Amino acid sequence: MRWIRSIVALALAALLALAARSLSEESPDAGPVRRPLVAEGALDPDRVDRIELVREGRRTVFDRTPGSEGTTWTQTEPVVHAADGWAVRQLITRLLKAESVRRVEGLAAAGDASATDAERKALADAGLLPPVATLVLRESPADGGAPREFVVELGRRSLAGRAFARVLRAGDGATGTGGYDVVDSALHEFALERDVRDFRRRELFPDLGEVGRIAFESGGRRVVLVRTKSGFRLEAPVATRADRQQAEELVDALRRARSSGFIVDEPREPSVYGLDPAAARIEIEPAASGATGRATGVDPARRALRIGDAVSIGAQDRFGLVEGTSSVVRVPAAEIAAIVPRVERLIDAVATGVRARDVARIEIMLAGGADPATAPRERIELVREVDGWSATRVPAGEGAAPIVGTASGEAVDRLLAALAETRAGSVEIAAFPQDLRVAEIVLRGFAGEALDTVRVARREGGQTILENGDGVLRVHGSIDLPVSPADLGFTAKAAR
């Protein structure tokens, strides 16, 4: 009987071989067929100008507007606020990259009254009746055509990184015919789990270009900084030159300033947060306003931040509200310290803005006698020559004869450096102390025009004060300021 067993064994082996050969000839199953959820050409991401995201019964709208700094996104509903362009574009990108791994057909279209209970249950099980969220993207019309809309409903998330979605209306105008898709969950993760406030920008002054004017008000204090052709100038609390480096650092701080979070949207009573009236206010005007759209109600030619009360007892952070928006934000104390203008730092600590090479003539009036304001004064006149400086000295007193001579070029250079380059140790906004005046220096150009006048005073203890008529005292603890004939190395010419 062994030969019968052998025959059976051979037959089984032959059957197994045929089965293996049949399986090898068939194409292997590579898993579910993947296809894009958004068909090619159904949506042009470069022309999307409006995005609506409805979830949990709340509608959030983003609008795209062109501006001088490029295209920007703004949240217009339920509040008005600058939007994070990257986050908004991610909604478009993730929708375009969404792939369907399985298509479920045979279900009634949305709103179809003929849908059976089984079809409704299938949609409900997928989280599509009602949908967890709805995403609507609108394209701007091209070549005078009508705008296109792409509408997709997002269902619940499933296992293994899958989720459910259904296209209700494609960009080409076609409407969904029922059914839904099983897709990757990347779009759902971004659209459903991301806090809608994370779509907003945290910058207090987003897309801030070249600044033309900064105004700060707090109580009775007012600081106004204005950009000029040559740099910056303070207009309040005094009209004087501003330190260019400090002004640029202030502008950079305003560009970088960010809130640390959103407190409340559309506050009913801003006064609760100290914002109406505000404890302080910073207003910025650009050097040149761009032709940006104003449909959102935000004036592109002006940015203003209101600073309110402290967020809690003992805290340094404060409530803030960017005018034109609807959200109260938290402004960190470090940001406030950086963006609030400090006058003593903004003032140019150099006595004059005149460049030494532009000075052709220097006139020095020295004070004398017990009353510097009325006592006769000695005068020294320095004139730039090809080979140095000529000098004319007029002693104090009526009818005094001028003495012609020369001055040390090195001493005059030190005088000009002290006036045009040396920074004061401190500045004070106060009237010039006439009773302490020791000299008055007039700088003139090559046409004889007056460029600037610097007054010099000295306090007890050796402090030297320089002031050029702007109401700012620039106080030097120690300064090399040759103004007397001896200090200038005056040498009279020998009589012929």
Side-chain angles (χ1 to χ4, degrees), residues 218-229:
S218 178
R221 181 187 176 197
R222 188 166 183 264
V223 180
V224 179
L225 181 68
V226 178
R227 184 185 293 273
T228 64
K229 293 181 179 180

Side-chain angles (χ1 to χ4, degrees), residues 198-246:
D198 290 340
F199 285 94
R200 305 174 192 171
R201 297 181 65 170
R202 295 288 184 93
E203 294 93 336
L204 296 174
F205 303 99
D207 301 319
L208 187 63
E210 186 178 31
V211 172
R213 183 176 182 270
I214 301 171
F216 171 78
E217 296 181 8
S218 178
R221 181 187 176 197
R222 188 166 183 264
V223 180
V224 179
L225 181 68
V226 178
R227 184 185 293 273
T228 64
K229 293 181 179 180
S230 58
F232 288 88
R233 181 172 179 81
L234 274 170
E235 290 187 349
V238 292
T240 186
R241 291 171 290 109
D243 185 287
R244 187 183 187 96
Q245 180 178 348
Q246 293 295 330

